[in-house]
């Protein structure tokens, strides 16, 4: 009879398995009162895995195209065995993944984990966040319902505001001047091929960097532990931390199950390009803070269109955000307080503006 | 010999051409010679700007407006007011209707009989004066080839026209409805005869008890109309095809529809109801009793949205105005009502259960779409009742009941599926909880 031990021995003989997983055995996770924030990256990764799995299942039935997309999703929701569950989990998991990615980013900022030598980990993480939002934007259109259609129209219109390159970007995204079936097939391509490819590559790089540079501790603790190495407390990544991470994943799975069963993701009504946009059309919650900001900017700022100013402002902020670690001090005892202040402001702004956008008519 | 208004048909390009010529002459006479100087550059620039400036038609001399625009009412006519007038916009002037010589600054000469001045047009003469142009197809063709030219002849057949011919000058003439000096086309929302305004225009006389005293007709039509389903459609919902006064009474040939023609008037919109009524057992008795078809049950100016309470034997039912318990009509009315109630109840039940399923997040859009068939059947049956034939009503109700039953079933299945999902969720959560407990215990075990 083949036992687990035999399989392991068989693998070890051929792949030197023990050597392969040795770094995992040696890997340690710092233990302190803020250690639970370390779970967020793992939960985001778990939700991404759920996305890949449920996405593949949806692909078996989904048909891109203005005449078929809505009907195929309707078919998945009503006729396919557990199709409703797979689609609802895919939608809820996408939202939870974006939420966790944001939470992970802010936790990294507050714990100052982006500091030297982890600048590249931060850069890869921020790009991953942009990709996740790209997933959200492209996936939102795929059911080809009214809200998705007009949200995409508004979203691509905003992209078209970038001076010079905006119009070509908009036409590239839409596959023409307007949002049509060509946009749908294009977004489908981005959603199931381009973005997953880039994401997988970057996730791999991100994890490799985490593995290479180890897990960061807050600067205060770093100084403390450097001064008194005996005070340092750690937990083995494998299996101790991983088992705890598994608990977090199971909890996430339970939450997903509850959301999918009690609040199945709504399908809406089929998009009609010839109808007028529904009143108060809004993007998904994770774009709401930007959307609401653009709405609040006056039509003209000096002689420039307000929307153009807003788009350029967000592009500049995105770029600065990406390069934030390079403004930080190398010395843990002299970390920049203004970055912490900026983080508090950014979190308050994103949360406040999102809430305002949600409540605004 | 036909009278023709001044300036009618003048090509508007004429003054512009003259202006261009004048500019060319000016340029030729004043053009600087020799080397280009700063002054000459400015000069060319000014000429260039003049050329670019939008053409404004040369104002023809109009001494009428020079004075009357400064006079108070009733003699005053402001340039702004007259500027909105369609006649002014197509080139007519005061003298086109009133005669006189607008080129003369001397009021005595401008408004002299020698100059053809007619003064205030007598009310009795107004329709004929308007008709001089508006009854001439070859003349009106120049301005609007699709415009009808039978307004005057129609007017002469109207109650207004007949009374005017008999010397009653209180009745409406062209200018009473279309306004005067700021007359706009009916498609202009500010026109007194645009669909949204025409009822108010009619009401100026017809809702005025003083004005209407002596005519022995009520003055509550406008108040009634404002409560009607037609008013709601036109003014509240903005449905410009909804009827207003002239839709039923005619405009230039305005007259109350007679008892015999009421159904024909209503049938211009309500085609099927009228056809069914014509083939119904009510057609003959109504005609014999001198009852106007549609109006007997629905009323006229104050037609409210009909409900199912109109039919049957209830206190609001119109059937019991004529039918009494025991007669065949009474029995059929009760059965028709019962059919309608049955389908409406079935639709309500299906709708309720589908809404409940939808609120639970179930995808029931197909069933909801199917329910539209049952609703269509109910709408069709509500039209069919105008034939007062029980079998035909039943034939419409039956597929509706079948459809509603199918959709109710779909709603029940959706709710059963929702419960199944929730049980499945409960089982899954228990399994997850067990795994979590197991993991916790395992961690405790390995960490001693």
């Amino acid at each position: 009879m083949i036992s687990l031990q035999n399989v392991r021995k068989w693998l070890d003989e051929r792949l030197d398995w023990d050597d392969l997983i040795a770094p995992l055995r040696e890997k340690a996770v710092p233990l302190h009162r803020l250690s639970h924030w370390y779970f967020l990256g793992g939960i985001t990764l778990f939700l991404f895995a759920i996305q890949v799995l449920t996405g593949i299942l949806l692909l078996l039935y989904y048909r891109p195209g203005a005449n078929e997309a809505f009907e195929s999703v309707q078919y998945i929701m009503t006729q396919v065995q557990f199709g409703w569950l797979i689609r609802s989990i895919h939608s809820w998991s996408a939202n939870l993944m974006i939420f966790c990615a944001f939470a992970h980013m802010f936790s990294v900022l507050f714990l100052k984990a982006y500091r030297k030598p982890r600048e590249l980990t931060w850069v890869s993480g921020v790009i991953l966040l942009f990709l996740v939002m790209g997933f959200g934007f492209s996936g939102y259109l795929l059911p080809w319902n009214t809200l998705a259609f007009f949200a995409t129209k508004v979203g691509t219109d905003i992209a078209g505001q970038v001076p010079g390159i905006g119009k070509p970007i908009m036409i590239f995204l839409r596959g023409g001047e307007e949002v049509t079936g060509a946009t749908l097939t294009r977004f489908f391509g981005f959603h199931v091929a381009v973005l997953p490819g880039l994401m997988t590559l970057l996730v791999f790089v991100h994890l490799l960097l985490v593995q290479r540079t180890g897990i960061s501790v807050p600067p205060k603790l770093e100084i403390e532990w450097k001064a008194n190495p005996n005070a340092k407390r750690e937990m083995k990544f494998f299996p101790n931390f991983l088992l705890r991470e598994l608990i977090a994943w199971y909890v996430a799975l339970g939450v997903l199950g509850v959301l999918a069963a009690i609040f199945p993701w709504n399908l809406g009504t089929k998009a009609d390009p010839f109808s007028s946009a529904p009143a108060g059309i809004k993007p998904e919650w994770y774009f709401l803070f930007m959307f609401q900001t653009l709405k609040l900017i006056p039509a003209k700022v000096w002689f420039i269109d307000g929307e153009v100013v807003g788009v350029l402002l967000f592009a500049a902020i995105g770029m600065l955000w990406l390069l934030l670690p390079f403004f930080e001090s190398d010395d843990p005892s002299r970390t920049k307080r203004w970055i912490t202040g900026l983080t508090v402001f950014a979190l308050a702004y994103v949360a406040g503006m999102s809430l305002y956008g949600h409540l605004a008519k | 010999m036909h009278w023709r208004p001044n300036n009618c048909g003048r090509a508007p390009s004429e003054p512009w051409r003259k202006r261009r010529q004048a500019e060319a002459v000016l340029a030729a006479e004043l053009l600087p010679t020799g080397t280009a100087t700063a002054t000459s550059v400015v000069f060319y620039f000014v000429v260039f700007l003049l050329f670019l400036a939008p053409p404004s038609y040369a104002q023809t001399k109009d001494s009428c407006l020079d004075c009357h625009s400064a006079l108070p009412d009733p003699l005053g006519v402001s340039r702004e007011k007259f500027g909105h007038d369609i006649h002014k916009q197509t080139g007519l002037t005061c003298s086109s209707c009133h005669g006189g010589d607008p080129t003369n600054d001397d009021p005595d000469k401008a408004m002299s009989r020698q100059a053809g001045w007619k003064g205030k047009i007598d009310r009795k003469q107004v329709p004929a004066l308007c008709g001089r142009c508006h009854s001439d197809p070859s003349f009106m063709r120049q301005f609007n080839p699709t415009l009808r030219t039978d307004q005057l002849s129609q007017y002469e057949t109207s109650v207004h026209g007949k009374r005017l011919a008999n010397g009653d000058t209180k009745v409406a003439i062209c200018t009473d409805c279309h306004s005067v000096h700021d007359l706009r086309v009916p498609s202009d929302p500010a026109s007194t005869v645009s669909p949204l305004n025409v009822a108010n225009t009619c009401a100026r006389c017809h809702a005025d008890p003083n004005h209407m005293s002596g005519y022995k007709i009520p003055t509550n039509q406008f108040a009634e109309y404002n409560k009607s389903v037609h008013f709601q459609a036109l003014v509240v919902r903005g449905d410009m095809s909804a009827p207003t006064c002239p839709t039923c009474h005619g405009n230039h040939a305005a007259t109350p529809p007679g008892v015999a023609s009421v159904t024909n008037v209503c049938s211009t919109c309500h085609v099927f109801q009228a056809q069914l009524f014509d083939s119904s057992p009510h057609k003959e008795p109504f005609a014999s009793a001198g009852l106007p078809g549609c109006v007997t049950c629905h009323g006229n100016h104050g037609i409210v949205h009909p409900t199912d309470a109109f039919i049957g034997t209830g206190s609001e039912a119109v059937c019991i105005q004529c039918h009494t318990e025991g007669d065949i009509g009474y029995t059929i009315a009760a059965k028709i009502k019962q059919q309608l109630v049955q389908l409406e109840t079935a639709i309500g039940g299906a709708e309720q259960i589908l809404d409940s399923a939808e609120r639970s997040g179930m995808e029931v859009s197909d069933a909801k779409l199917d329910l539209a068939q049952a609703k269509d059947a109910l709408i069709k049956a509500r039209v069919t009742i105008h034939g007062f034939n029980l079998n035909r009503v039943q034939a419409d109700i039956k597929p509706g009941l079948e459809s509603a039953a199918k959709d109710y079933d779909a709603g029940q299945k959706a709710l059963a599926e929702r419960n199944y999902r929730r049980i499945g969720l409960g089982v899954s959560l228990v399994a997850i909880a067990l795994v979590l407990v197991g993991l916790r215990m395992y961690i405790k075990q390995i960490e001693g």
Side-chain angles (χ1 to χ4, degrees):
Chain A
M1 192 182 159
I2 301 169
S3 69
L4 204 62
Q5 285 294 327
N6 288 340
V7 173
R8 192 177 156 160
K9 193 179 165 201
W10 191 88
L11 283 173
D12 201 29
E13 282 169 5
R14 282 153 185 85
L15 304 172
D16 199 3
W17 180 253
D18 282 340
D19 194 45
L20 206 65
I21 62 165
L24 278 181
R25 288 189 183 284
E26 285 162 24
K27 189 176 166 67
V29 177
L31 266 184
H32 51 87
R33 67 186 177 88
L34 299 170
S35 289
H36 50 269
W37 289 106
Y38 296 144
F39 290 115
L40 277 170
I43 295 172
T44 312
L45 183 67
F46 169 71
L47 292 169
F48 176 63
I50 296 263
Q51 286 304 95
V52 174
L53 192 73
T54 51
I56 289 169
L57 291 173
L58 289 173
L59 260 180
L60 300 179
Y61 291 95
Y62 178 76
R63 294 189 300 273
N67 295 326
E68 293 184 303
F70 182 85
E71 285 76 7
S72 69
V73 178
Q74 196 175 35
Y75 184 79
I76 289 168
M77 294 289 284
T78 56
Q79 305 297 320
V80 178
Q81 282 286 335
F82 294 105
W84 64 273
L85 184 65
I86 300 300
R87 195 225 162 195
S88 292
I89 284 186
H90 192 75
S91 302
W92 276 114
S93 173
N95 282 274
L96 286 184
M97 179 171 74
I98 294 171
F99 178 80
C100 288
F102 266 105
H104 181 46
M105 180 189 74
F106 279 109
S107 73
V108 164
L109 280 168
F110 281 120
L111 297 177
K112 294 209 171 272
Y114 53 84
R115 288 170 301 122
K116 189 185 173 184
R118 298 180 183 83
E119 296 96 327
L120 289 177
T121 318
W122 166 266
V123 170
S124 62
V126 172
I127 297 173
L128 275 171
L129 179 74
F130 293 158
L131 285 180
V132 161
M133 290 170 86
F135 263 114
F137 187 60
S138 57
Y140 192 54
L141 179 69
L142 300 190
W144 198 245
N145 59 31
T146 306
L147 282 180
F149 177 83
F150 286 105
T152 304
K153 210 169 159 62
V154 173
T156 46
D157 265 340
I158 291 170
Q161 297 294 323
V162 182
I165 54 167
K167 190 79 191 291
I169 287 175
M170 190 189 81
I171 289 176
F172 170 71
L173 287 173
R174 289 181 174 180
E177 290 278 352
E178 294 296 326
V179 175
T180 60
T183 319
L184 181 61
T185 41
R186 198 158 280 222
F187 273 40
F188 176 68
F190 296 146
H191 193 76
V192 304
V194 181
L195 291 173
L198 289 173
M199 181 100 172
T200 309
L201 190 75
L202 263 172
V203 165
F204 181 73
V205 170
H206 194 70
L207 291 177
L208 198 71
L209 286 168
V210 172
Q211 181 61 34
R212 289 295 296 165
T213 54
I215 294 174
S216 154
V217 286
K220 220 171 161 183
L221 212 60
E222 193 182 325
I223 297 164
E224 221 175 284
W225 284 1
K226 217 172 239 176
N228 179 15
N230 289 336
K232 192 173 178 179
R233 288 175 61 227
E234 281 182 337
M235 175 196 280
K236 274 186 162 187
F237 177 80
F238 187 83
N240 304 53
F241 186 81
L242 195 62
L243 283 169
R244 285 174 171 81
E245 184 79 55
L246 209 58
I247 289 177
W249 291 1
Y250 262 97
V251 170
L253 191 67
V255 170
L256 273 180
V258 170
L259 290 171
I262 309 287
F263 310 105
W265 203 260
N266 189 13
L267 179 58
T269 53
K270 187 176 177 174
D272 177 5
F274 299 109
S275 69
S276 52
I281 185 101
K282 285 173 194 169
E284 284 282 79
W285 63 268
Y286 39 89
F287 290 118
L288 213 49
F289 71 97
M290 289 189 270
F291 180 74
Q292 193 59 29
T293 307
L294 290 178
K295 270 174 76 178
L296 293 178
I297 294 175
K300 284 274 178 200
V301 178
W302 195 27
F303 64 92
I304 313 168
D305 273 355
E307 211 164 46
V308 173
V309 172
V311 170
L312 289 177
L313 201 68
F314 276 117
I317 290 170
M319 195 51 74
L320 283 174
W321 207 247
L322 194 70
L323 303 174
L324 203 61
F326 301 101
F327 298 104
E328 184 59 278
S329 163
D330 293 348
D331 184 352
S333 62
R334 305 180 61 147
T335 52
K336 301 272 170 56
R337 293 185 72 177
W338 67 264
I339 294 185
T340 310
L342 185 71
T343 307
V344 173
F345 174 76
L347 182 60
Y349 186 85
V350 170
M353 239 354 145
S354 301
L355 191 68
Y356 179 30
H358 178 70
L359 298 174
K361 299 225 167 169
Chain B
M1 188 182 147
H2 279 285
W3 170 87
R4 285 282 180 275
N6 294 347
N7 301 334
C8 280
R10 176 188 281 182
S13 60
E14 184 66 15
W16 188 25
R17 201 162 47 241
K18 283 184 177 167
R19 177 194 161 128
R20 291 281 174 268
Q21 285 166 356
E23 283 166 5
V25 169
L26 184 76
E29 284 177 359
L30 301 179
L31 204 66
T33 53
T35 52
T37 61
T39 318
S40 68
V41 170
V42 170
F43 176 82
Y44 277 119
F45 184 66
V46 170
V47 170
F48 177 69
L49 285 181
L50 273 170
F51 186 79
L52 283 185
S56 60
Y57 299 118
Q59 297 291 314
T60 47
K61 176 84 180 153
D62 191 348
S63 59
C64 314
L65 271 181
D66 290 345
C67 295
H68 283 269
S69 61
L71 287 172
D73 279 340
L75 291 173
V77 179
S78 72
R79 286 186 192 280
E80 192 205 349
K81 182 181 176 183
F82 194 46
H84 293 304
D85 195 293
I86 184 65
H87 295 134
K88 156 79 176 165
Q89 288 165 11
T90 48
L92 270 73
T93 63
C94 311
S95 62
S96 307
C97 297
H98 295 283
D101 179 9
T103 60
N104 201 320
D105 283 331
D106 182 346
D108 290 336
K109 287 180 182 165
M111 294 189 288
S112 66
R113 295 295 168 191
Q114 289 83 351
W117 185 66
K118 298 172 193 165
K120 182 176 165 62
I121 311 296
D122 185 69
R123 281 181 70 81
K124 270 200 259 177
Q125 304 303 321
V126 168
L129 178 65
C130 300
R132 283 180 168 173
C133 292
H134 282 275
S135 298
D136 183 347
S138 57
F139 178 69
M140 292 308 293
R141 193 179 296 134
Q142 301 172 79
F143 304 97
N144 183 354
T146 61
L147 200 68
R148 293 174 60 157
T149 50
D150 59 350
Q151 295 95 333
L152 182 59
S153 57
Q154 283 210 16
Y155 178 75
E156 283 164 359
T157 69
S158 72
V159 173
H160 297 141
K162 283 178 186 167
R163 282 189 169 271
L164 184 73
N166 289 332
D168 182 357
T169 53
K170 274 176 73 184
V171 294
I173 56 169
C174 312
T175 50
D176 290 327
C177 301
H178 289 279
S179 174
V180 63
H181 301 139
D182 64 342
L183 197 153
R184 299 165 193 242
V185 289
S187 56
D188 183 338
S191 164
T192 48
V193 291
S194 76
L196 284 171
N197 297 334
V198 72
N200 290 297
T201 302
C202 299
R204 283 212 307 265
C205 297
H206 282 274
D208 180 355
N210 292 331
H211 188 88
M212 296 309 291
S213 63
Y215 292 112
K216 293 177 186 159
I217 56 172
T219 51
N220 65 346
Q221 301 95 327
F222 183 61
E224 288 287 302
Y225 174 74
N226 283 352
K227 290 187 277 184
S228 76
V229 68
H230 293 146
F231 172 84
Q232 287 286 321
L234 181 72
V235 179
V236 181
R237 294 211 310 271
D239 178 355
M240 302 305 272
S241 68
T244 178
C245 311
T247 319
C248 302
H249 294 278
N251 40 26
H252 301 105
T255 186
V259 169
S261 56
V262 162
T263 318
N264 297 336
V265 171
C266 301
S267 76
T268 54
C269 297
H270 302 281
V271 183
F272 296 117
Q273 287 90 337
Q275 281 175 358
L276 286 159
F277 181 79
D278 281 347
S279 64
S280 78
H282 279 141
K283 171 78 176 172
E284 211 43 52
F286 270 48
S288 310
L291 295 171
C294 313
V295 171
T296 305
C297 301
H298 292 281
N300 46 17
H301 300 107
I303 294 174
V304 293
H305 195 281
T307 66
D308 289 345
F310 272 36
I311 192 125
T313 54
S315 57
E316 291 175 50
V318 289
C319 310
I320 57 168
Q321 289 173 16
C322 301
H323 294 287
T324 50
E325 201 167 354
D327 74 32
I328 183 74
Y330 190 91
T331 312
I332 289 176
K335 284 184 178 171
I336 289 176
K337 173 70 183 286
Q338 187 252 333
Q339 287 281 309
L340 294 177
V341 168
Q342 193 183 355
L343 180 52
E344 194 171 27
T345 310
I347 290 171
E351 212 159 33
Q352 199 178 12
I353 198 163
L354 287 174
D355 283 345
S356 167
E358 196 171 44
R359 277 197 301 278
S360 306
M362 303 306 294
E363 170 53 35
V364 287
S365 57
D366 271 350
K368 285 201 126 183
L369 200 66
D370 277 350
L371 196 61
Q373 288 179 10
K375 289 178 183 171
D376 286 347
L378 185 60
I379 291 168
K380 198 175 166 206
R382 282 171 176 158
V383 173
T384 307
I385 58 170
H386 291 91
F388 306 101
N389 181 322
L390 180 61
N391 290 336
R392 289 180 77 169
V393 173
Q394 279 174 329
D396 286 340
I397 293 285
K398 195 179 167 206
L401 285 172
E402 285 168 3
S403 183
K406 206 176 83 185
D407 300 327
Y408 185 83
D409 194 40
Q412 275 190 319
K413 277 185 183 156
L415 285 181
E417 167 72 15
R418 178 200 65 183
N419 296 339
Y420 169 72
R421 288 179 187 184
R422 290 184 179 177
I423 291 167
L425 172 68
V427 172
S428 308
L429 289 179
V430 168
I432 287 173
L434 286 174
V435 171
L436 290 178
V437 171
L439 280 171
R440 195 70 222 155
M441 286 168 71
Y442 182 61
I443 289 169
K444 266 194 175 171
Q445 188 192 338
I446 61 169
E447 289 180 356

